[in-house]
């Protein structure tokens, strides 16, 4: 069963901090950052540029043959950049966030199709080996339809990505590292940003709990709210990992926790998405009779419930 416990469960509850304590924490952080500013700027530059170079390399490679791993890594590196940039540049004065976000969405649509095709192929094989021929044929049909969707998304990626990720963006990136980063890194409050992300995670976790109590654990509303918890956990994890040089051991421990949450909730989301895609296609498009469709949907629902029961502590 899902338990909505605090992140600090088993380690004691965190005491509520007064405004004065928070102010003192902030002053202490600023003083420390001022002392370590030159080294910190270089650490930020190294971390960000490594991600950007990976993003550009994978972007170019992905457009050549749409290699599954290149598409995946281009999306991941973009997502990590989108996690770190707001810490430094919350108002996007550099203008970098928007184009990278557009690219990330384009890669995401192709990546989602890649994942679903692989998943449907595996499920087809498992159903076939278990003697569930009707189910196997349904997954085969879903994989075929998803390939058509992927073909469309690949065409859009090829047409639109070069207009977003190009020499102009590279020049803007170099200017950012050289001219903007020193000041932004010196004044960035990484600890405060991580704290805000964790607060957002807790809020989304609470919204999920309330929604599940009101609409039902297996309702679309609750599952959508749970997906938002996963997204918040992912932001916490990526920020803590990518900015580890500016954080302490506590944040590293939290990153492992959020990684675990992300993985467990990812399984739930995958099964929920599987159901939605099946319902969107419907029995007619998938060539299923009433009995076969009913059995298929019941099995998908059971798999979703199984994943929810394995979620555990959030």
């Amino acid at each position: 069963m899902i338990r909505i416990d605090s992140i600090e469960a088993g380690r004691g509850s965190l005491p509520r901090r007064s405004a004065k304590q928070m102010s003192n924490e902030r002053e202490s952080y600023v003083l420390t950052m001022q002392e370590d500013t030159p080294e910190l700027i270089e650490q930020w530059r190294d971390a960000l540029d490594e991600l950007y170079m990976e993003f550009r390399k994978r972007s170019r490679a992905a457009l050549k043959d749409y290699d599954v791993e290149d598409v995946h890594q281009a999306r991941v590196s973009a997502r990590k950049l989108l996690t770190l940039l707001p810490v430094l540049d919350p108002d996007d004065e550099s203008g970098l966030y928007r184009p990278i976000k557009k690219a990330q969405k384009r890669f995401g649509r192709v990546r989602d199709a890649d994942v679903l095709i692989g998943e449907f192929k595996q499920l087809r094989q498992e159903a076939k080996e278990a003697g569930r021929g009707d189910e196997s044929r349904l997954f085969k049909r879903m994989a075929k339809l998803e390939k058509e969707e992927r073909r469309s998304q690949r065409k859009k990626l090829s047409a639109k990505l070069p207009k977003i990720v190009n020499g102009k963006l590279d020049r803007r990136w170099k200017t950012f590292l050289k001219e903007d980063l020193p000041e932004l890194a010196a004044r960035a409050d990484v600890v405060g940003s991580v704290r805000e992300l964790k607060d957002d995670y807790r809020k989304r976790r609470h919204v999920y709990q309330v929604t599940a109590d009101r609409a039902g654990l297996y309702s679309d509303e609750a599952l959508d709210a749970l997906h938002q918890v996963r997204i918040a956990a992912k932001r916490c994890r990526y920020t803590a990992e990518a900015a580890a040089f500016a954080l302490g051991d506590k944040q590293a421990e939290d990153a492992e926790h959020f990684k675990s949450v992300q993985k467990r909730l990812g399984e739930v989301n995958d099964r929920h998405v599987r159901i939605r895609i099946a319902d969107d296609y419907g029995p007619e498009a998938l060539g299923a009779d009433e009995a076969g469709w009913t059995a298929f949907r019941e099995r998908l629902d059971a798999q979703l419930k199984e994943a929810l029961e394995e979620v555990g502590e959030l």
Side-chain angles (χ1 to χ4, degrees), residues 29 32-33 36 39-40 42-48 50-51 80 83-84 87-88 189-191 193-194 197 235-256:
Y29 177 81
T32 301
M33 291 303 99
D36 299 335
E39 180 181 358
L40 185 67
E42 285 307 308
Q43 290 173 325
W44 270 112
R45 182 176 285 110
D46 290 345
L48 287 166
E50 181 179 352
L51 286 173
K80 289 182 177 181
T83 302
L84 282 184
V87 175
L88 291 169
D189 181 1
V190 186
V191 174
S193 295
V194 170
L197 289 172
R235 288 180 182 139
C236 291
R237 172 199 169 187
Y238 280 170
T239 303
E241 287 180 345
F245 56 83
L247 298 167
D249 293 339
K250 171 74 167 58
Q251 283 76 21
E253 293 177 8
D254 286 344
E256 286 301 312

Side-chain angles (χ1 to χ4, degrees), residues 58-67 70-71 107 154 157-159 161-162 165:
R58 295 289 188 169
S59 295
R60 286 189 289 266
L63 287 181
K64 290 181 180 179
D65 56 7
Y66 307 109
D67 178 78
D70 285 328
V71 170
F107 280 118
R154 282 176 169 178
L157 180 68
S158 290
L161 189 69
V165 182

Side-chain angles (χ1 to χ4, degrees), residues 169-179:
L169 183 64
D170 290 342
R171 290 189 293 274
R172 185 183 297 177
W173 178 258
K174 290 178 181 178
T175 299
F176 168 73
L177 292 184
K178 182 179 179 180
E179 299 180 7

Side-chain angles (χ1 to χ4, degrees), residues 49 52-53 55-56 59-60 78 81 85 92 94-104 107 161-177:
D49 208 31
Y52 187 79
M53 290 301 102
F55 168 63
R56 288 294 277 121
S59 295
R60 286 189 289 266
L81 283 168
L85 283 172
D92 193 27
S94 65
L96 290 166
Y97 187 92
R98 182 173 294 181
I100 294 175
K101 180 65 175 178
K102 287 181 179 179
Q104 186 258 336
F107 280 118
L161 189 69
K163 299 176 183 178
I164 304 169
V165 182
N166 48 34
K168 181 179 179 180
L169 183 64
D170 290 342
R171 290 189 293 274
R172 185 183 297 177
W173 178 258
K174 290 178 181 178
T175 299
F176 168 73
L177 292 184

Side-chain angles (χ1 to χ4, degrees), residues 2-15:
I2 294 178
R3 291 176 289 149
I4 311 297
D5 299 329
S6 74
I7 294 175
E8 294 78 23
R11 289 180 279 169
S13 300
L14 288 177

Side-chain angles (χ1 to χ4, degrees), residues 34-169:
Q34 288 175 344
E35 293 173 359
D36 299 335
T37 292
E39 180 181 358
L40 185 67
I41 291 171
E42 285 307 308
Q43 290 173 325
W44 270 112
R45 182 176 285 110
D46 290 345
L48 287 166
D49 208 31
E50 181 179 352
L51 286 173
Y52 187 79
M53 290 301 102
E54 176 72 1
F55 168 63
R56 288 294 277 121
K57 181 183 76 172
R58 295 289 188 169
S59 295
R60 286 189 289 266
L63 287 181
K64 290 181 180 179
D65 56 7
Y66 307 109
D67 178 78
V68 172
E69 186 62 15
D70 285 328
V71 170
H72 174 51
Q73 292 303 328
R75 183 192 194 187
V76 168
S77 54
R79 183 177 285 156
K80 289 182 177 181
L81 283 168
L82 294 172
T83 302
L84 282 184
L85 283 172
V87 175
L88 291 169
D89 186 15
D91 298 322
D92 193 27
E93 296 174 15
S94 65
L96 290 166
Y97 187 92
R98 182 173 294 181
I100 294 175
K101 180 65 175 178
K102 287 181 179 179
Q104 186 258 336
K105 284 185 176 181
R106 284 292 156 203
F107 280 118
R109 287 165 184 160
V110 176
R111 172 61 181 170
D112 288 345
D114 282 339
V115 170
L116 287 168
I117 291 167
E119 182 180 291
F120 293 154
K121 286 182 177 179
Q122 180 180 345
L123 291 168
R124 173 200 173 195
Q125 185 62 31
E126 290 175 359
K128 184 178 180 181
E129 292 174 356
R132 300 190 298 272
D134 289 344
E135 181 179 320
S136 177
R137 284 187 288 275
L138 285 172
F139 279 126
K140 180 181 180 180
R141 179 62 178 160
M142 289 174 71
K144 182 179 180 180
L145 291 171
E146 203 58 36
K147 284 181 180 179
E148 294 175 7
E149 171 65 16
R150 182 175 67 179
R151 189 177 302 112
S152 172
Q153 293 300 335
R154 282 176 169 178
K155 288 181 179 178
K156 291 179 180 179
L157 180 68
S158 290
K160 297 189 177 185
L161 189 69
K163 299 176 183 178
I164 304 169
V165 182
N166 48 34
K168 181 179 179 180
L169 183 64

